Amino acid sequence: MNTRHSFAIISILVFITLFLVYLKNAASLPNTQNNGFSRKWLDKAIALDATEEINTSFQRISGISNSKFFLSTLKPDVITTFSLDLKAQDTIFLNLPKINGSYTPNILNVDSTDIRIYLPNLALSLYSSFTENKFDSSKFQSDIYTRFSQLSDSQIIVRALSENQTRQKFKKVNTRTGEVLKESKIIEDDDSFMGFDSDGTLNYDSKNKLLLYVQYYRNEVYCFDSNLNVVYKSKTIDTIKYNHTNYTKLNKAGSEKITTSESRLIVNRNCIVDSENGLFYVLSNLKADNESPPLYNNNNTIDIYKTINGKYVGSFHLPREGKSRILSAVVTPPYLVALSKGNLSKYKIDYTDLK
């Protein structure tokens, strides 16, 4: 091999190495430099009470009753109950009916007596009780929905695609008849394609009768009542006001799918409602200026807000068990229960500084 060829190969390898370093740094850029905001730390407000290693297949906490938690995988046909001291109890196998479509994706809601499975891509709900294990179904008078929150046994709120599938609206639906009772855009200035830019997490505060929609990709929170009347619009404490991306269509196995053509910066990963204490907890994906990189990387950062007005209260950390971020969490005062990959942990909340 002559010198010229050797130099060319070395140049290419150097370029590839530098390019990979650039991609790695660019991907984590928002959390390797200051993001323009600081947090009020309330780490003494939370303390570990119990922790258990569990099967890594569990992906979500699908419900809670007075005496147990219900954990499930991404498939809705098996539910495992855990006691409040985090011990596995029973495994329940559901006799799911055959449907004209897929059970993926699904939303599984479980309480002490009832099981409800919602299939967003089919606008379909399935209902059963633990005693019967036989499902009734209801087809919604609505298009595909992307977000969901249950108000009662017979009513839900969904964020669903419009008839031409270019925008999304919030809809109040009767689950027994499938009838759409009311609809509203809520996010009036959202003109993004299929509402993707304003995607978020939808939660219901049953005590205050309020819904919270926390956006994934920017610092916006919408609070509205069960009749889809906006109560207030607020912001999370970070500074991400605009986070647009482009989309592309992919044809795979004879079907057309729409996906992002570039990576997205997730600002808020999830929201947990504490109805009894009028609070909601946002799992943030951004490092604060007064938060060191090791502290951020080794913990889940949670910001606390008042449900009634969206006012920021403070923040605390929860350890990243096994380096895994929180997959699902619920609050049953005074405890917060968090599911990570292979781990279930219970934390006790001290509300003294959260009022």
Side-chain angles (χ1 to χ4, degrees):
M1 183 181 294
N2 59 40
T3 304
R4 180 179 297 176
H5 286 164
S6 297
F7 178 77
I9 292 172
I10 292 172
S11 298
I12 292 171
L13 291 174
V14 169
F15 172 78
I16 292 173
T17 302
L18 291 174
F19 183 66
L20 291 174
V21 170
Y22 165 78
L23 287 178
K24 180 179 183 298
N25 290 337
S28 58
L29 184 61
N31 290 319
T32 56
Q33 61 183 12
N34 286 345
N35 285 316
F37 71 97
S38 296
R39 288 187 164 98
K40 175 185 175 183
W41 294 110
L42 301 173
D43 282 329
K44 291 184 179 180
I46 194 89
L48 181 65
D49 183 80
T51 186
E52 285 288 333
E53 291 186 5
I54 60 174
N55 193 297
T56 57
S57 64
F58 291 117
Q59 295 289 313
R60 54 190 174 179
I61 302 173
S62 295
I64 185 171
S65 70
N66 292 330
S67 60
K68 63 187 70 174
F69 301 98
F70 302 93
L71 268 62
S72 64
T73 67
L74 293 181
K75 296 181 179 180
D77 56 344
V78 180
I79 301 169
T80 301
T81 63
F82 283 75
S83 64
L84 295 184
D85 60 358
L86 310 186
K87 304 299 183 183
Q89 295 179 319
D90 300 322
T91 299
I92 303 163
F93 297 91
L94 303 181
N95 183 26
L96 298 182
K98 292 183 178 180
I99 58 172
N100 186 22
S102 173
Y103 273 96
T104 303
N106 64 79
I107 300 163
L108 177 63
N109 274 10
V110 187
D111 58 31
S112 58
T113 59
D114 300 325
I115 304 165
R116 293 177 178 82
I117 301 172
Y118 298 93
L119 305 175
N121 287 354
L122 304 178
L124 183 70
S125 72
L126 301 168
Y127 164 84
S128 181
S129 65
F130 278 110
T131 55
E132 294 181 0
N133 201 1
K134 180 180 179 182
F135 285 87
D136 294 321
S137 65
S138 175
K139 181 75 173 177
F140 299 163
Q141 297 172 6
S142 177
D143 290 287
I144 295 171
Y145 57 92
T146 59
R147 296 296 161 225
F148 158 96
S149 191
Q150 188 162 321
L151 302 182
S152 66
D153 290 345
S154 61
Q155 293 185 344
I156 62 172
I157 299 291
V158 299
R159 190 174 189 233
L161 291 173
S162 58
E163 291 183 1
N164 59 11
Q165 297 193 356
T166 60
R167 299 288 184 268
Q168 291 196 52
K169 286 186 176 182
F170 291 86
K171 300 181 180 183
K172 184 177 183 178
V173 180
N174 185 313
T175 58
R176 292 172 180 167
T177 65
E179 179 186 3
V180 175
L181 305 175
K182 191 174 182 180
E183 61 181 61
S184 173
K185 191 174 181 181
I186 301 292
I187 308 172
E188 293 295 340
D189 58 350
D190 178 28
D191 293 320
S192 63
F193 179 65
M194 296 182 74
F196 285 161
D197 282 358
S198 58
D199 195 12
T201 177
L202 180 63
N203 297 84
Y204 182 52
D205 182 328
S206 58
K207 183 176 180 179
N208 295 292
K209 310 298 182 185
L210 295 173
L211 290 113
L212 293 159
Y213 186 74
V214 180
Q215 292 198 33
Y216 288 134
Y217 306 119
R218 47 193 170 197
N219 64 346
E220 292 185 357
V221 177
Y222 289 83
C223 177
F224 51 98
D225 64 26
S226 57
N227 287 316
L228 303 183
N229 300 305
V230 175
V231 177
Y232 66 81
K233 175 185 175 182
S234 64
K235 296 184 180 299
T236 50
I237 61 170
D238 56 85
T239 56
I240 307 298
K241 298 179 181 179
Y242 183 75
N243 189 8
H244 176 70
T245 194
N246 296 314
Y247 301 89
T248 187
K249 293 182 179 180
L250 296 177
N251 289 303
K252 187 176 181 180
S255 63
E256 187 176 76
K257 296 183 178 181
I258 298 172
T259 184
T260 57
S261 57
E262 55 196 63
S263 61
R264 297 300 303 266
L265 168 62
I266 297 176
V267 176
N268 303 303
R269 291 173 36 240
N270 207 342
C271 176
I272 312 156
V273 171
D274 184 350
S275 296
E276 290 300 316
N277 294 281
L279 301 168
F280 64 97
Y281 308 82
V282 175
L283 276 72
S284 176
N285 208 42
L286 291 181
K287 183 183 74 66
D289 295 353
N290 60 341
E291 188 175 13
S292 70
L295 189 62
Y296 170 81
N297 291 331
N298 293 322
N299 289 278
N300 298 276
T301 302
I302 296 183
D303 299 323
I304 312 157
Y305 301 87
K306 288 187 178 294
T307 302
I308 197 68
N309 54 19
K311 181 181 178 182
Y312 172 67
V313 176
S315 305
F316 57 73
H317 289 112
L318 295 181
R320 288 181 62 174
E321 301 293 344
K323 302 299 181 181
S324 171
R325 292 198 180 276
I326 290 175
L327 300 172
S328 180
V330 294
V331 171
T332 173
Y335 297 106
L336 183 153
V337 179
L339 170 68
S340 302
K341 186 176 182 180
N343 180 270
L344 189 63
S345 294
K346 183 172 68 170
Y347 300 87
K348 188 171 184 179
I349 303 171
D350 182 349
Y351 289 97
T352 304
D353 295 326
L354 305 188
K355 301 300 183 181

